[in-house]
């Protein structure tokens, strides 16, 4: 068992930290909204700290799951960030979906302090976090990964080292490219079925047993058909992720015309008032004015 700090108790981090506590690790938490940290402690035990630096003191591992590159830089390298409190030999595992560039930048900063670093974004959504069934794609040194593997396994279904620092974030970008295209395709398919007068549920019961099957179809078709989007991964966060993807594609020369188009479709959903809707809300854009 290890001493572990968890920084960031959002819809993903809160249950992930909970799995660490259930696994028997000594868990210290920090959250920007202190009340959330106190709520977590009341539920799981452990302790809450006022700053990331305080939370990182005397820890074997510091797990981080925050919003974006700027949040990440602040909680790790800021005046009261993790590096201000972490000792040499600590390993930082970053579960934020961020840019590969910031992962490399933070790896350089942590190495100067004798602190290990892994970029380890996750996939599986809120349900995956709550059920301890996340896919974790990791960039970093194999020796550091081997140290962190038993701790990360507390909430992982699939855990794999993808390559050097930044490789985890690049793999997560591939994941988001796939999801963007799949959700748009499913939205168009269900929209078409409804306009054609078909029973959407009956259609999915048939096509989901063939080559069209996907996680999105299995888990989102009912709510898409019902026009219900008050759950899951928010459009605002998807646009943040797609912005990272498109920035990276401009650097590496990848051609992503469909991803760029779906990003604009999500901008339309934001304009419709759907910034906090689930990403499956692409169908709402198609159904406007029907």
């Amino acid at each position: 068992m290890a001493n572990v700090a968890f920084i960031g108790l959002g819809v993903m981090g809160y249950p992930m930290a909970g799995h660490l506590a259930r696994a028997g690790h000594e868990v210290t938490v920090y959250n920007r909204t202190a009340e959330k940290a106190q709520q977590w402690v009341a539920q799981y035990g452990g302790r809450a700290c006022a700053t990331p630096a305080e939370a990182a003191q005397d820890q074997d591992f510091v797990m981080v799951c925050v919003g974006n590159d700027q949040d990440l830089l602040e909680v790790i390298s800021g005046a009261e960030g993790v590096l201000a409190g972490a000792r040499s030999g600590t390993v930082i595992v970053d579960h934020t979906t961020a840019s590969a560039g910031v992962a490399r930048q933070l790896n350089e900063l942590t190495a100067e302090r004798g602190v290990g670093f892994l970029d380890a974004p996750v996939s599986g959504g809120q349900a995956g976090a709550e059920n301890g069934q996340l896919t974790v794609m990791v960039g970093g040194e194999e020796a550091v990964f081997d140290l962190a593997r038993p701790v990360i396994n507390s909430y992982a279904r699939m855990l794999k080292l993808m390559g050097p620092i930044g490789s985890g974030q690049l793999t997560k970008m591939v994941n988001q490219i796939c999801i963007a295209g799949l959700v748009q395709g499913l939205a168009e398919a269900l929209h078409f079925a409804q306009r054609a007068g078909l029973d959407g549920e009956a259609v999915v019961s048939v096509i989901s047993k063939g080559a069209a099957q996907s996680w999105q179809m299995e888990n989102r078709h009912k709510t898409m058909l019902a026009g219900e989007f008050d759950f899951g991964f928010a459009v605002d966060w998807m646009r943040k992720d797609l912005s990272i993807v498109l920035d990276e594609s401009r650097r590496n020369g990848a051609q992503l015309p469909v991803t760029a188009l779906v990003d604009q479709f999500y901008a339309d959903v934001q304009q419709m008032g759907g910034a906090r809707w689930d990403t499956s809300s692409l169908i709402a854009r198609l159904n406007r004015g029907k």
Side-chain angles (χ1 to χ4, degrees), residues 121-132:
V122 302
S123 180
Q126 184 175 348
E130 291 172 350
N131 295 324

Side-chain angles (χ1 to χ4, degrees), residues 201-279:
E201 188 66 42
V203 168
V204 171
S205 72
V206 172
I207 68 171
S208 65
K209 304 304 185 289
Q213 190 275 339
S214 69
W215 185 97
Q216 300 292 338
M217 181 178 290
E218 293 287 346
N219 291 275
R220 292 290 182 262
H221 78 272
K222 290 182 183 292
T223 48
M224 290 173 78
L225 288 168
E228 298 171 355
F229 313 114
D230 296 331
F231 58 92
F233 190 62
V235 168
D236 275 352
W237 291 116
M238 186 59 159
R239 288 215 72 205
K240 183 267 290 186
D241 289 1
L242 293 181
S243 174
I244 292 170
V245 168
L246 294 169
D247 283 347
E248 186 66 32
S249 73
R250 284 187 281 271
R251 279 189 286 272
N252 68 22
Q255 300 297 306
L256 304 179
V258 173
T259 304
L261 186 60
V262 176
D263 178 56
Q264 291 307 302
F265 293 163
Y266 277 124
D268 291 344
V269 174
Q270 288 175 318
Q271 290 297 314
M272 293 169 60
R276 303 303 301 171
W277 291 350
D278 178 77
T279 51

Side-chain angles (χ1 to χ4, degrees), residues 5-9 28-33 37 47-52 55 75:
F6 206 105
I7 310 298
L9 300 175
T28 300
V29 296
Y30 165 80
N31 193 66
R32 186 162 48 189
T33 304
R47 65 190 181 98
C49 290
T51 67
V75 300

Side-chain angles (χ1 to χ4, degrees), residues 15-210:
M16 291 165 72
H19 286 295
L20 291 170
R22 290 195 191 101
H25 299 293
E26 292 292 330
V27 183
T28 300
V29 296
Y30 165 80
N31 193 66
R32 186 162 48 189
T33 304
E35 291 79 6
K36 193 74 170 288
Q38 294 298 334
Q39 177 187 334
W40 188 94
V41 169
Q43 183 173 353
Y44 293 106
R47 65 190 181 98
C49 290
T51 67
E54 182 185 346
Q57 290 176 5
D58 299 318
Q59 302 294 343
D60 301 310
F61 298 93
V62 178
M63 325 308 266
V64 180
C65 191
V66 293
N68 54 39
D69 284 19
Q70 191 56 47
D71 294 336
L72 190 55
L73 287 167
E74 181 180 343
V75 300
I76 292 181
S77 61
E80 297 184 319
V82 170
L83 287 178
R87 56 175 171 77
S88 177
T90 298
V91 173
I92 299 173
V93 180
D94 174 34
H95 292 305
T96 308
T97 296
S99 68
V102 80
R104 297 182 188 110
Q105 178 182 351
L106 287 170
N107 183 57
E108 291 180 5
L109 291 173
T110 56
E112 292 171 0
R113 308 287 187 90
V115 172
F117 184 81
L118 298 170
D119 60 290
V122 302
S123 180
Q126 184 175 348
E130 291 172 350
N131 295 324
Q133 294 290 300
L134 291 169
T135 294
V136 188
M137 48 216 91
V138 184
E141 295 181 3
E142 187 169 3
V144 179
F145 174 71
D146 288 341
L147 287 173
R149 183 202 302 265
V151 179
I152 301 172
N153 269 330
S154 300
Y155 40 75
R157 175 183 63 178
M158 173 64 185
L159 171 61
K160 187 172 179 61
L161 181 64
M162 304 306 300
I165 287 292
S167 300
Q169 296 297 352
L170 292 169
T171 304
K172 179 62 183 286
M173 294 177 208
V174 175
N175 186 81
Q176 300 307 75
I177 293 167
C178 290
I179 290 173
L182 283 169
V183 176
Q184 178 62 21
L186 180 58
E188 291 184 16
L190 296 179
H191 171 72
F192 179 91
Q194 290 173 317
R195 287 300 182 97
L198 294 170
D199 180 334
E201 188 66 42
V203 168
V204 171
S205 72
V206 172
I207 68 171
S208 65
K209 304 304 185 289

